[in-house]
């Protein structure tokens, strides 16, 4: 729903899906994870899309999903994949959609969370071929300006529980809603 949506952006492992679910529950809005929509649309898991179709096919599917989801006539909370901000058209759509919250964390913390996710079955394809921490740092360096471009709020999640991050996001979103529709 244009202008009044809430979308979480940020690197892998920042807790976008966990926080997005908490925030959506508290608002009574539907939560949608863009990566889940891509997997359903393509009929393959994210690692399979990368390995069989390649990253650029994944980015096309991601752009299609973001276009469709940001045009829904319904209040939703969106969690995007870490690379959703790379294409300018996605950034424009996400900005028009509503409040974009950039979740950040220290690279070491992200590395630990990604290891934990991998051990519980959530696998992520390598984006650079570098080791874990070097990849996190390189990708963040390349994308920082894009996150800055879309974000209306930045929350550093280092050492903060998801429920506390959700509280900060809700406070900002409720303030923004009043500003848009007093
Ligand atoms: C990606 C992040 C992933 C997923 C894909 C690519 C990226 O999402 O979209 O593996 O380019 O950073 P998460 O941030 O939810 O892990």
């Amino acid at each position: 729903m244009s202008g009044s949506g809430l979308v979480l952006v940020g690197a892998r492992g920042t807790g976008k899906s966990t926080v997005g679910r908490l925030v959506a529950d508290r608002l009574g809005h539907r939560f949608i994870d863009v990566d889940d929509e891509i997997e359903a649309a393509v009929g393959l898991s994210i690692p399979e899309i990368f390995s069989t179709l390649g990253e650029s096919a994944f980015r096309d599917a991601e752009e299609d999903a973001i276009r469709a989801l940001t045009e829904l006539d319904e209040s939703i909370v969106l969690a995007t994949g870490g690379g959703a901000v790379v294409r300018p058209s996605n950034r424009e759509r996400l900005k028009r959609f509503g409040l974009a919250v950039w979740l950040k964390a220290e690279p070491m913390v992200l590395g630990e969370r990604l290891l934990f996710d991998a051990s519980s079955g959530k696998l992520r394809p390598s984006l650079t071929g570098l080791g874990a921490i070097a990849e996190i740092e390189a990708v963040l360096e390349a994308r920082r300006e894009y996150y800055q471009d879309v974000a209306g709020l930045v929350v550093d999640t280092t050492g903060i529980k998801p429920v506390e991050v959700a509280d900060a996001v809700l406070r900002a979103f409720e303030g923004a809603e009043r500003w848009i529709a007093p």
Side-chain angles (χ1 to χ4, degrees):
M1 208 194 254
S2 194
S4 60
L6 177 59
V7 56
L8 299 167
V9 301
R12 296 160 148 184
T14 46
K16 293 165 295 198
S17 304
T18 308
V19 170
R21 268 192 202 94
L22 289 169
V23 170
D25 273 358
R26 301 252 298 266
L27 289 170
H29 294 176
R30 187 152 68 106
F31 169 73
I32 304 178
D33 189 319
V34 176
D35 281 348
D36 291 345
E37 296 292 304
I38 297 168
E39 290 184 329
V42 179
L44 295 170
S45 69
I46 304 278
E48 285 167 344
I49 300 174
F50 270 73
S51 63
T52 61
L53 307 174
E55 179 170 353
S56 120
F58 171 81
R59 297 294 166 205
D60 290 342
E62 184 175 52
E63 187 171 358
D64 290 345
I66 288 173
R67 182 187 310 110
L69 294 169
T70 53
E71 284 174 2
L72 285 179
D73 193 14
E74 176 191 346
S75 294
I76 53 172
V77 175
L78 272 184
T80 55
V85 293
V86 172
R87 289 198 175 174
S89 57
N90 289 343
R91 294 202 296 279
E92 285 318 306
R93 282 201 182 92
L94 294 176
K95 282 195 266 187
R96 278 203 306 273
F97 175 66
L99 178 66
V101 181
W102 175 17
L103 300 187
K104 288 168 110 170
E106 295 298 327
M108 286 303 289
V109 172
L110 294 180
E112 281 164 19
R113 291 187 194 155
L114 296 185
L115 266 181
F116 175 78
D117 282 359
S119 69
S120 31
K122 175 159 183 180
L123 300 174
R124 292 174 169 96
S126 168
L127 298 169
T128 58
L130 298 169
I133 299 298
E135 170 159 308
I136 290 166
E137 285 170 345
V139 169
L140 184 58
E141 190 51 40
R143 294 176 177 170
R144 182 175 285 115
E145 65 175 299
Y146 304 140
Y147 292 130
Q148 257 157 6
D149 178 29
V150 299
L153 173 75
V154 185
V155 180
D156 189 340
T157 68
T158 308
I160 302 181
K161 295 194 197 90
V163 69
E164 293 163 333
V165 178
D167 282 341
V169 171
L170 277 164
R171 275 196 303 275
F173 183 62
E174 281 161 359
E177 284 245 287
R178 276 194 292 278
W179 182 252
I180 293 164

